[in-house]
Amino acid sequence: MPMDLLVVDDDDVTRQLLKEFLETRGFRVTCAASAESALEIAQIKCPSLVLTDIRMEAQDGLSLLKQLKAMNPHVGVVLMTGFGSMDGAIEAIQKGAFDYISKPFDLEKLAGLLKKASAQGLGADSDKKKPVARSKPVPIDPKTLLGKSAAMVEVYKLIAKATLSNSNVLILGESGTGKELVARAIHHNSSRKTKKFVAVN
């Protein structure tokens, strides 16, 4: 059975490429060239899965995410960006995005991610499987963690997911790789950000 998917991107070539490829992978794709158009479609079709770019004219993908979640808390939203940042990843995850991926990406991996989002993000109990979104994160000094590569976006996503947890977090890495910077980022974006941060060597 085809999986319904709404693709939102203001770039015509990207939008058409995604539509053609994802339809070969079992998705029934509807496209929108803007967040405003996507919201109009969502009101009619009530999509359960949305793939949207973040940087778009007029209204961006994060604003669209917030409005889609208000319309349907169970909608699975995957955000695409060519300008990955820690604040962006944290805001996306805390606002309820299923995932946050960096362009350019592997299309096969994207299809697998969307199928996973479809399987986990749909259903009446999906809110039990996903953390509750919190308020906008506290910005971290941009001199702390830098980088826009796909690998750094993965680090930002892990930080974002850790900020939503009350569990202990173990950060591993060689000396000088930035473990304390990651720890500070988690602390300053968590519910314990008003508490004192103590670094121990």
Side-chain angles (χ1 to χ4, degrees):
M1 181 177 177
M3 294 166 278
D4 289 320
L5 169 67
L6 174 59
V7 172
V8 190
D9 199 307
D10 58 4
D11 182 78
D12 295 341
V13 174
T14 300
R15 200 168 58 248
Q16 188 61 31
L17 172 66
L18 289 170
K19 176 178 172 60
E20 292 178 359
F21 176 78
L22 292 171
E23 284 181 341
T24 69
R25 295 300 184 270
F27 292 92
R28 183 164 46 223
V29 181
T30 301
C31 290
S34 67
E36 293 78 10
S37 177
L39 288 170
E40 291 178 2
I41 293 171
Q43 289 176 344
I44 298 170
K45 294 192 173 184
C46 194
S48 55
L49 190 59
V50 178
L51 173 65
T52 179
D53 193 21
I54 290 182
R55 285 203 175 186
M56 296 184 288
E57 293 184 5
Q59 187 174 167
D60 65 20
L62 287 169
S63 174
L64 175 61
L65 165 66
K66 182 178 179 180
Q67 293 178 77
L68 288 171
K69 284 290 183 180
M71 293 169 62
N72 175 15
H74 305 303
V75 62
V77 181
V78 175
L79 293 166
M80 305 178 287
T81 179
F83 307 89
S85 69
M86 184 177 65
D87 285 348
I90 289 173
E91 186 172 2
I93 298 300
Q94 290 190 344
K95 283 186 175 179
F98 181 84
D99 213 328
Y100 173 96
I101 60 174
S102 177
K103 295 179 179 180
F105 42 74
D106 182 287
L107 288 171
E108 289 290 356
K109 290 182 178 178
L110 172 63
L113 174 63
L114 290 169
K115 288 178 180 178
K116 184 178 178 182
S118 179
Q120 293 187 11
L122 312 182
D125 63 342
S126 62
D127 55 331
K128 298 178 182 178
K129 300 175 184 177
K130 297 174 69 177
V132 176
R134 289 204 177 106
S135 57
K136 188 173 181 179
V138 177
I140 299 299
D141 184 342
K143 295 178 182 178
T144 57
L145 286 171
L146 301 174
K148 299 181 183 296
S149 68
M152 282 305 298
V153 168
E154 289 301 313
V155 173
Y156 299 151
K157 285 196 298 186
L158 288 172
I159 291 172
K161 291 175 182 178
T163 66
L164 296 173
S165 173
N166 287 321
S167 301
N168 293 330
V169 178
L170 176 63
I171 304 168
L172 301 174
E174 296 180 5
S175 179
T177 54
K179 296 186 295 298
E180 184 179 330
L181 295 179
V182 170
R184 286 183 181 277
I186 293 172
H187 173 75
H188 287 297
N189 287 280
S190 73
S191 60
R192 299 175 181 174
K193 59 181 175 285
T194 58
K195 307 295 183 181
K196 187 175 181 180
F197 178 88
V198 180
V200 179
N201 189 337

